[in-house]
Structures are given as structure tokens and as C-alpha cells.
């Protein structure tokens, strides 16, 4: 355990913590604001990129072993979290009615076909299904193209990126032929674009790019922030990798990579910050719980003030949203820290 801790890349944990906070903040901000659009430009791609930094396709002897391990790590937690969200929504009256209104057939369709639960306040777990698909696509890419020339690999990634930003044309055609569905199953469409970020993260780690960029970090961070903001939400507006909403292909990926670069380089500077390391190491439970905690906070505010604020719609101002995001994030971190402290105390007594 000590050896693993000493070799762990703490900047990855810190970057996960930063990204998780942006996810919480983005799910509170008004969806018409530029800040909201900027965060959505890169916050989920950043998670795929960071997953790529620890992705090791060479350790799997065959695709069977790859699928077996990834099924346990991605799909099983997806169903467990979805089940927990379903039970909470059925037991809690205010959350029950939207589930009933949507209807069981539609609910099951979104859970088992689209891989994105609706009305359960844990819709963000689509990321696990998307990550499974991205890792599968990346694994196949490394297996068949990983040893080819740099030219072949670059062009194949360009094709993959082009397919990602144009995939909704195929989704539309699918909906025309099969009116009951409107997109490919199990986040295959999202997985195409996510695989590009994952592969890029893998090579960033393999080539030790962060270490090479360290000397220029104070120049690169503001530059990446400015260019990602200007050429992202200011010129093109809203994107969302979950729903395959992109702007023109040549622009989306460079802008997203600039946002990821700013976040990751900031994490390199702050890699020794223990709080963010802790959040990054516990990113899955915090990621799964964040929507519930956001709505519980809104319910609490409504009980005190008599005014209910709808996340991403009418929470007043970016500063007010920031205060709420800090409160939500602090509540989740405190709950996890308390739980781990209790478990540690029990184990010590034993």
C-alpha cells in the first residue's frame, strides 16, 4: 500500500477533484450563462481524459478479459447507483411523482437502452456507461492501430473525431426507421468522442507531457483559459458530450483540450493540496450523489425562505451559484470524511 501511495500521481486526483467541483457548479448555474457553457465545454471530457491517463490497454491479454473487468468496474456500479436512486425517488414523495409521470416503459428504456436514467436525480451516471464505451473503442483502437505509423494513428483519430461530431445524423436516421428510439444504445455515440479524449490522456501520460510543460505553466494556464473561453462559449455557445451536441468539428476538440489543459496544469501546481486529493480519490460516490445533494440544499433553502430555486434555471447570479456549489461540495466531502473516520476507528478497535 505504501509503494502504491508513493507512486500515485496526485495531480490526477487533484484534477478529478477540480473537475468534480465544476460538475457541481455547472449543475447549479443558469444554463443560458456563458460560464455554464464554458464549463460544459470541457468538464466531462476532462473526466474521460483523466481516465485515459491511467488507461493501460496492454495489460489485457484479450478482449474477453477486458470486457469482464470493465463490466465489473463500470456497468455494475451504474446499475447499483441507479437502483439506489430509484429506491430513494420512490420512497421520497416529492421525487416520486416525476417518475410516475414519465411512465415505467420510458423509465426502463432510458435505464437499459440509453444508459442514462431519467427522473432519478442520478442521471449523471451515464458517465460510467460512456466511459465503458470509450474504453472499449480505445482498446480496439490500440489493438489494431496502436503499432501503426504516426500518420495512420493521427488520421484515424481525425476520423473518429469527425464521426463523433456528426453522429447525430445517424441518430436522426435511426429515429426515422425506429420511431421508438432516437439515438444509438448504451452511449455508443458519446463513446466515439470520449474515446478521442481518453486516447489523448493515455499519450499525455506516456509521453510525460505534464512534466515537460511545467516550466511554462504560469503562461499556459491563463492562455488556455482565455482561448478556450473565447473560441468556445463566446463564439459558439453550448455543447454537451452527453447528448452529442457539438459545434463545427475542427473547433470543438481543440477548444475542449484547451479547457482540459488549463484544469490539468492548475492541478499540477496544486498537486499537494490534500483536500482536493481526497475529493479526487472519492470522486465516484461524490459524483453519484451530487444531484441529490443539490436538490436537498434547494429544498432546505425553500423551507427557510419560502422560495424554491430550480438548479440551472433561476438560481440568482454566478456568485450565488458558487456559494451553493461550495455548500454542496462541502456537505459531500464532510459526509465522506466522517464515514471514513468512523470506519477507521472501528478497524482500529478490532
Amino acid at each position: 500500500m505504501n509503494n502504491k501511495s508513493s507512486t500515485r500521481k496526485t495531480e490526477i486526483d487533484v484534477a478529478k477533484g477540480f473537475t468534480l467541483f465544476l460538475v457541481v457548479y455547472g449543475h447549479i448555474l443558469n444554463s443560458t450563462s456563458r460560464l455554464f457553457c464554458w464549463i460544459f465545454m470541457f468538464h466531462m471530457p476532462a473526466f474521460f481524459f483523466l481516465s485515459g491517463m491511467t488507461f493501460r490497454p496492454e495489460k489485457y491479454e484479450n478482449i474477453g478479459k477486458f470486457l469482464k473487468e470493465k463490466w465489473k468496474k463500470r456497468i455494475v456500479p451504474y446499475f447499483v447507483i441507479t437502483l439506489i436512486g430509484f429506491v430513494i425517488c420512490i420512497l421520497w414523495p416529492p421525487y416520486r411523482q416525476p417518475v410516475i409521470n414519465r411512465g415505467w416503459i420510458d423509465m426502463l428504456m432510458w435505464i437499459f437502452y440509453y444508459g442514462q436514467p431519467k427522473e432519478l436525480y442520478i442521471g449523471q451516471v451515464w458517465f460510467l456507461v460512456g466511459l465503458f464505451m470509450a474504453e472499449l473503442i480505445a482498446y480496439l483502437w490500440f489493438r489494431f492501430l496502436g503499432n501503426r505509423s504516426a500518420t495512420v494513428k493521427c488520421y484515424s483519430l481525425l476520423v473518429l473525431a469527425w464521426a463523433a461530431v456528426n453522429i447525430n445524423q445517424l441518430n436522426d436516421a435511426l429515429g426515422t426507421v425506429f420511431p421508438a428510439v432516437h439515438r444509438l444504445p448504451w452511449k455508443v455515440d458519446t463513446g466515439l468522442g470520449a474515446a478521442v479524449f481518453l486516447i489523448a490522456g493515455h499519450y499525455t501520460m506516456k509521453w510525460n507531457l505534464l512534466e515537460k510543460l511545467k516550466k511554462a505553466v504560469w503562461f499556459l494556464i491563463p492562455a488556455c483559459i482565455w482561448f478556450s473561453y473565447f473560441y468556445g462559449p463566446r463564439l459558439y455557445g453550448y455543447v454537451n458530450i452527453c447528448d452529442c451536441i457539438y459545434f463545427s468539428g475542427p473547433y470543438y476538440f481543440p477548444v475542449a483540450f484547451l479547457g482540459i489543459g488549463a484544469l490539468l496544469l492548475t492541478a499540477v501546481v496544486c498537486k499537494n493540496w490534500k483536500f482536493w486529493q481526497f475529493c479526487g480519490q472519492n470522486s465516484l460516490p461524490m459524483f453519484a450523489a451530487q444531484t441529490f445533494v443539490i436538490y436537498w440544499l434547494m429544498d432546505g433553502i425553500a423551507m427557510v425562505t419560502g422560495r424554491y430555486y430550480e438548479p440551472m434555471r433561476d438560481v440568482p447570479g454566478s456568485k450565488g451559484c458558487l456559494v451553493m456549489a461550495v455548500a454542496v461540495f462541502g456537505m459531500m466531502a464532510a459526509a465522506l470524511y466522517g464515514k471514513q473516520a468512523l470506519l477507521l476507528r472501528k478497524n482500529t478497535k478490532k
Side-chain angles (χ1 to χ4, degrees):
M1 291 295 293
N2 290 333
N3 289 335
K4 288 183 180 180
S5 299
S6 63
T7 59
R8 188 182 184 100
K9 293 286 185 179
T10 56
E11 57 265 38
I12 296 179
D13 291 327
V14 171
K16 286 182 179 179
F18 287 167
T19 308
L20 182 60
F21 180 80
L22 289 178
V23 170
V24 174
Y25 192 23
H27 282 148
I28 298 175
L29 279 166
N30 191 304
S31 60
T32 60
S33 70
R34 283 185 178 175
L35 182 56
F36 171 90
C37 294
W38 181 63
I39 289 174
F40 269 69
M41 187 77 60
F42 67 89
H43 72 327
M44 295 312 298
F47 272 126
F48 292 114
F49 188 95
L50 292 167
S51 297
M53 293 183 74
T54 56
F55 186 64
R56 299 292 178 266
E58 66 278 0
K59 77 175 187 177
Y60 303 101
E61 297 178 8
N62 53 60
I63 193 169
K65 291 186 176 180
F66 172 86
L67 290 173
K68 182 178 179 181
E69 178 178 313
K70 295 304 179 182
W71 183 271
K72 290 180 180 178
K73 289 186 175 181
R74 312 297 183 219
I75 305 304
V76 171
Y78 164 78
F79 281 118
V80 170
I81 295 169
T82 300
L83 178 61
I84 293 171
F86 178 80
V87 170
I88 292 174
C89 286
I90 292 300
L91 294 178
W92 192 253
Y95 299 162
R96 185 188 306 147
Q97 196 59 46
V99 176
I100 296 173
N101 291 343
R102 180 168 284 274
W104 296 110
I105 294 177
D106 198 37
M107 287 288 299
L108 294 174
M109 187 77 169
W110 278 96
I111 292 171
F112 290 98
Y113 178 82
Y114 294 117
Q116 185 178 345
K118 290 289 186 178
E119 313 299 347
L120 298 183
Y121 300 90
I122 38 85
Q124 63 272 12
V125 296
W126 68 264
F127 171 75
L128 293 171
V129 181
L131 181 57
F132 175 83
M133 281 299 170
E135 288 175 325
L136 176 58
I137 294 169
Y139 174 79
L140 294 173
W141 186 89
F142 279 110
R143 185 168 183 177
F144 293 107
L145 298 173
N147 294 323
R148 303 294 295 272
S149 67
T151 302
V152 171
K153 287 191 282 190
C154 286
Y155 275 108
S156 66
L157 286 175
L158 286 174
V159 170
L160 194 60
W162 174 86
V165 298
N166 290 282
I167 195 63
N168 273 337
Q169 296 179 27
L170 179 58
N171 282 333
D172 293 339
L174 181 67
T176 302
V177 178
F178 303 101
V181 300
H182 65 268
R183 62 187 297 182
L184 294 168
W186 278 93
K187 292 294 176 186
V188 173
D189 45 13
T190 295
L192 293 171
V196 175
F197 293 111
L198 196 144
I199 292 168
H202 173 86
Y203 280 114
T204 296
M205 179 63 78
K206 183 177 180 179
W207 296 338
N208 202 21
L209 291 182
L210 292 180
E211 191 65 31
K212 295 175 181 178
L213 295 174
K214 259 186 176 181
K215 293 182 179 179
V217 68
W218 294 112
F219 166 78
L220 290 173
I221 291 174
C224 286
I225 291 173
W226 189 88
F227 281 108
S228 66
Y229 181 81
F230 183 83
Y231 289 100
R234 185 168 178 179
L235 291 185
Y236 296 103
Y238 175 71
V239 299
N240 190 342
I241 193 172
C242 172
D243 297 323
C244 300
I245 299 173
Y246 307 105
F247 48 74
S248 301
Y251 301 102
Y252 168 69
F253 284 96
V255 170
F257 279 124
L258 284 169
I260 294 169
L263 187 147
L264 194 52
L265 291 170
T266 304
V268 170
V269 174
C270 306
K271 67 179 183 178
N272 294 322
W273 292 18
K274 299 298 183 182
F275 173 77
W276 294 106
Q277 289 179 27
F278 172 80
C279 294
Q281 291 163 9
N282 294 278
S283 57
L284 179 56
M286 293 180 73
F287 184 79
Q290 49 110 0
T291 308
F292 272 117
V293 180
I294 289 172
Y295 276 89
W296 289 337
L297 177 64
M298 298 304 173
D299 290 342
I301 293 173
M303 291 175 63
V304 174
T305 65
R307 169 70 188 275
Y308 184 82
Y309 295 103
E310 181 70 22
M312 296 195 292
R313 290 187 181 178
D314 59 0
V315 179
S318 59
K319 292 182 179 178
C321 294
L322 179 60
V323 171
M324 292 182 183
V326 170
V328 168
F329 208 76
M331 290 163 63
M332 293 192 297
L336 271 173
Y337 185 82
K339 179 182 176 182
Q340 291 190 10
L342 287 174
L343 290 175
L344 181 62
R345 185 177 298 177
K346 288 182 179 179
N347 292 333
T348 303
K349 289 180 178 179
K350 289 180 180 179

